[in-house]
Amino acid sequence: MSFFSDSPVITGRKLLFSNHDLWILIWPLIIEQLLAITLGMADIVMVSSLGEAAVSGVSLVDSINVLLVQIFAALATGGAVVCAQYLGKGSADNASRTAKQLLYTMFIAAAVLMFAGLFFRKHILFFIFGNIDPDVMDASRRYFFISLFALPGLAVYNACAALFRAQGNSRVSMCIALLVNILNIGGNAILLYGFHWGVEGVAVPTFISRTVAAVVLMFLLYKGKEFNGIPAVSIKGFSHVHFDWSLIKKILSIGIPNGLENGTFQIGKILVLSLTATFGTSAIAANAAANTLTAFEVLPGSAIGLAMLTVVGQCIGAGTIDQAVYYTKKLMKITYAAMIVLNIPLLFAAGPILSCYRMSAETTRLALYMAVTHGLCAMVIWPFSFVLPNALRAAGDAAFTMLISMISMWTVRVGMSYVFSWTHIFGIASALGWSTSFESLGIWYAMILDWVFRTSFFIHRFIYGRWHRKKII
């Protein structure tokens, strides 16, 4: 049985999503992901005016920030899946109740992480990046301190955006992402170029933009406007705090496995990044630059992966398993087509784009090798590794995706990264006359092996597993 074989003909039921419905859901998500990537690139490019030490310090701390954001996104996914299933079932009241419980949970989690981070921030940075150059560590400490205050805003922002997407209303989160970019990039320009601040000039606008975005999104959720015929998810009565443990349990049944999966994934990436740091500042800077470009390479998949949560979640809630299978296959086909169309020209443009980072010729060449390796494999393997599992999560099968992802991350990506490091990629770097920093490419080869491992299990689960028999609501 082929994954891309035609689904059985769906009869007797109206399709929940027309092609037009899918289009108005996906295109704002693509723009939103583009804005997020553009913001990340702008931060790195603008802070590069402060030197490679500042770029390295910011990129190292951002790996920790991404871990925290991924935890928030995982919890938000739990709430979004439950909301989507209730909306598919036609129970808007329960969807609204879920929204309020999600916000309570997210805010408390963010507050705990913020205070813990402030108290242990020096120990955290030394434990993870203890061997880095002193000037890089100094930049990391200053940037990390301010960025911790942005966590509550980031948590609420992620929760609200996920709730709008659960309704199929991705335009709101797109518009708010545009607002974030304007405030963040504008703030960077003023503080870095106008007031000549250091890395604080990147951290403060992040705090302001995320906080403003969270407030605006909460206001829009409170108004609760219907979208495309779907009843609104509203948080009216939010100030009258009441914890509904049955709903919180449903949210956490998806959020905790997803959070453990995302958290473990990011912790693994941080460990791998600490390994990258041993190859020198050049390898750190190349890795940071390449990562901003690789985010573009998977942009369509990231957007459609978010759409998958909404579409499959509503299908499962409505009890239409055949439609859940149908739309999963359809969205995967769209993902592959979009990835190929985007990546072929992007690979040719990678060199000129990376030259904008003002890095040395050697560092730029290393970043180019990283980006090209990623882009070629992303067109073939990445969608099955990271888009398909969202269909499983939307049906409530988050425990399986967590298990496979954790095993793959620790045994394949992290394990093989160290193997390649210890063996110096079997002497390839020295044989080609490359510097030691080029041995960091082995970490990227281990990443590709990780994708292959995940893909084999997720495809098998989708075709032969019981993922759609999980029950949340």
Side-chain angles (χ1 to χ4, degrees):
M1 178 181 177
S2 170
F3 180 93
F4 287 126
S5 62
D6 292 336
S7 300
V9 177
I10 300 171
T11 59
R13 293 175 180 169
K14 178 184 176 183
L15 287 172
L16 292 179
F17 294 87
S18 65
N19 288 336
H20 177 70
D21 292 333
L22 293 178
W23 170 245
I24 64 174
L25 173 63
I26 292 171
W27 78 259
L29 291 174
I30 292 176
I31 301 300
E32 181 181 347
Q33 294 299 302
L34 177 62
L35 289 169
I37 296 167
T38 302
L39 181 58
M41 288 190 68
D43 276 351
I44 294 295
V45 170
M46 296 174 85
V47 83
S48 67
S49 63
L50 302 174
E52 284 195 0
V55 172
S56 298
V58 169
S59 67
L60 290 175
V61 171
D62 274 344
S63 68
I64 301 175
N65 290 336
V66 168
L67 165 62
L68 299 175
V69 170
Q70 288 297 323
I71 291 173
F72 299 147
L75 289 173
T77 296
V81 167
V82 176
C83 273
Q85 290 199 12
Y86 274 128
L87 290 171
K89 191 177 181 180
S91 182
D93 288 344
N94 280 325
S96 295
R97 288 171 53 220
T98 301
K100 286 180 276 191
Q101 298 304 312
L102 174 64
L103 287 171
Y104 298 148
T105 305
M106 294 281 282
F107 185 81
I108 292 173
V112 170
L113 289 171
M114 181 184 72
F115 287 115
L118 289 171
F119 188 78
F120 294 108
R121 64 185 185 279
K122 292 182 181 179
H123 306 283
I124 293 170
L125 292 175
F126 181 78
F127 175 75
I128 300 174
F129 308 119
N131 293 324
I132 59 178
D133 295 338
D135 52 348
V136 177
M137 178 60 81
D138 178 64
S140 298
R141 285 175 176 170
R142 290 185 285 125
Y143 181 69
F144 189 41
F145 174 73
I146 297 175
S147 64
L148 284 168
F149 289 97
L151 294 184
L154 279 167
V156 174
Y157 170 58
N158 272 274
C160 293
L163 291 169
F164 275 108
R165 295 187 203 110
Q167 302 171 74
N169 188 354
S170 54
R171 293 182 186 178
V172 167
S173 57
M174 176 194 70
C175 292
I176 298 302
L178 178 60
L179 173 65
V180 167
N181 276 39
I182 293 171
L183 293 175
N184 206 323
I185 295 175
N188 288 351
I190 293 171
L191 296 180
L192 288 175
Y193 305 141
F195 290 91
H196 305 289
W197 284 20
V199 293
E200 295 85 354
V202 181
V204 170
T206 298
F207 164 70
I208 294 173
S209 61
R210 297 321 192 275
T211 303
V212 170
V215 171
V216 173
L217 280 170
M218 285 195 68
F219 173 76
L220 294 175
L221 272 177
Y222 187 85
K223 289 179 65 177
K225 292 182 65 176
E226 179 182 296
F227 177 77
N228 200 30
I230 297 176
V233 172
S234 173
I235 59 169
K236 289 181 179 178
F238 173 80
S239 59
H240 303 293
V241 178
H242 169 70
F243 293 101
D244 186 328
W245 297 109
S246 64
L247 280 176
I248 291 175
K249 183 178 178 181
K250 295 179 190 295
I251 293 170
L252 296 182
S253 70
I254 301 296
I256 288 180
N258 202 23
L260 288 172
E261 176 184 341
N262 289 356
T264 301
F265 182 77
Q266 291 303 324
I267 290 171
K269 288 183 70 174
I270 291 172
L271 288 176
V272 169
L273 184 57
S274 68
L275 177 60
T276 300
T278 65
F279 294 106
T281 301
S282 178
I284 298 172
N287 189 76
N291 274 324
T292 57
L293 186 57
T294 59
F296 278 104
E297 293 173 346
V298 298
L299 187 154
S302 298
I304 297 171
L306 293 173
M308 186 82 79
L309 292 170
T310 298
V311 173
V312 175
Q314 290 195 21
C315 289
I316 295 294
T320 56
I321 305 303
D322 50 355
Q323 292 198 37
V325 173
Y326 168 77
Y327 283 117
T328 298
K329 293 185 176 183
K330 184 168 187 173
L331 289 173
M332 287 299 294
K333 291 176 183 177
I334 294 172
T335 301
Y336 267 100
M339 294 279 283
I340 292 170
V341 169
L342 173 66
N343 273 277
I344 290 177
L346 188 57
L347 289 174
F348 285 102
I353 292 173
L354 290 170
S355 66
C356 298
Y357 284 85
R358 306 177 193 174
M359 300 180 295
S360 66
E362 179 182 282
T363 303
T364 300
R365 184 158 61 102
L366 175 57
L368 178 62
Y369 291 163
M370 291 173 172
V372 170
T373 298
H374 184 279
L376 290 172
C377 296
M379 289 187 287
V380 181
I381 312 169
W382 191 91
F384 279 122
S385 302
F386 295 98
V387 180
L388 178 61
N390 270 359
L392 309 182
R393 295 185 188 104
D397 199 17
F400 177 81
T401 63
M402 175 196 70
L403 179 63
I404 296 303
S405 296
M406 291 176 69
I407 292 173
S408 184
M409 187 67 192
W410 291 103
T411 62
V412 182
R413 184 176 297 202
V414 175
M416 292 307 298
S417 291
Y418 279 89
V419 168
F420 287 149
S421 173
W422 292 333
T423 57
H424 303 285
I425 323 177
F426 310 110
I428 294 175
S430 59
L432 294 175
W434 293 345
S435 67
T436 303
S437 62
F438 279 77
E439 293 177 0
S440 61
L441 284 169
I443 294 168
W444 290 68
Y445 302 150
M447 174 186 66
I448 305 304
L449 292 178
D450 170 41
W451 295 358
V452 172
F453 183 89
R454 293 166 186 263
T455 291
S456 61
F457 280 91
F458 291 147
I459 290 178
H460 185 274
R461 182 71 165 186
F462 179 81
I463 296 176
Y464 301 107
R466 298 181 178 181
W467 60 277
H468 49 71
R469 299 181 187 177
K470 304 291 181 179
K471 187 174 180 62
I472 300 177
I473 63 172

